[in-house]
Amino acid sequence: MIRRAEPNDARAIYEILSKTDDSWTMGVIESELKTESSRAFVYMDEEGAVQGFVDIKILYDEADLMHIAVSEEMRGKGIGARLLAKAIEEAEGKAIALEVRMGNFKAISLYEKYDFKKESVRKNYYHGEDAAIMWRRK
């Protein structure tokens, strides 16, 4: 089940992000969940545990996909795709931008399935690794 993220989800979101190389702190997550332009959602399993997270920031006529992450044990089950579809729905037809590690082939493949296209590269964006800048313009 996907639902809007709530402030009490911050700890579970932090736990998921801490297993990635993401640097968001609890304070940043808590702040992001309160930001008016942010639309954050969680995926919950049958037991009610948060297993995935997506955050899209709506900015005027475009959107920025800030995060999408799934717990290690739930990867490969289509949760990321469902969260991405929810973020696209929330963008309401606006163009969506994102950054992704050039070496994250699974993520790039997922984004391409949802009509994101590589438009440029940010050198050394991820602590020495380049980032692909991808856009979905529909």
Side-chain angles (χ1 to χ4, degrees), residues 4-138:
R4 188 82 183 238
E6 301 169 353
N8 64 347
D9 294 321
R11 171 61 56 193
I13 292 166
Y14 176 78
E15 291 300 322
I16 292 169
L17 292 179
S18 71
K19 304 248 184 340
T20 69
D21 51 10
D22 192 280
S23 60
W24 273 22
T25 64
M26 273 293 293
V28 171
I29 293 166
E30 290 167 339
S31 175
E32 190 67 16
L33 293 178
K34 295 175 190 170
T35 302
E36 190 172 320
S37 62
S38 177
R39 310 279 169 78
F41 296 88
V42 292
Y43 174 87
M44 298 174 59
D45 64 19
E46 287 104 23
E47 287 81 41
V50 173
Q51 298 289 349
F53 166 69
V54 68
D55 182 22
I56 188 165
K57 194 165 286 220
I58 309 297
L59 305 165
Y60 306 105
D61 61 342
E62 61 187 43
D64 191 3
L65 187 68
M66 303 296 291
H67 276 98
I68 187 166
V70 176
S71 65
E72 289 176 322
E73 61 271 9
M74 298 299 282
R75 290 181 189 157
K77 299 179 186 281
I79 295 167
R82 285 181 257 173
L83 289 166
L84 181 57
K86 180 64 176 173
I88 291 168
E89 177 186 314
E90 282 298 305
E92 298 177 338
K94 293 174 176 60
I96 306 170
L98 62 84
E99 295 92 9
V100 60
R101 289 180 186 282
M102 293 291 288
N104 191 343
F105 303 114
K106 286 184 179 182
I108 291 170
S109 177
L110 173 64
Y111 298 139
E112 288 174 341
K113 286 178 187 172
Y114 282 83
D115 298 321
F116 284 84
K117 308 280 186 245
K118 290 182 197 172
E119 292 194 8
S120 61
V121 173
R122 275 204 182 117
K123 293 289 186 187
N124 300 314
Y125 186 72
Y126 290 108
H127 309 289
E129 187 176 349
D130 296 346
I133 309 302
M134 300 182 78
W135 281 88
R136 183 179 195 271
R137 301 183 189 270
K138 280 199 169 185

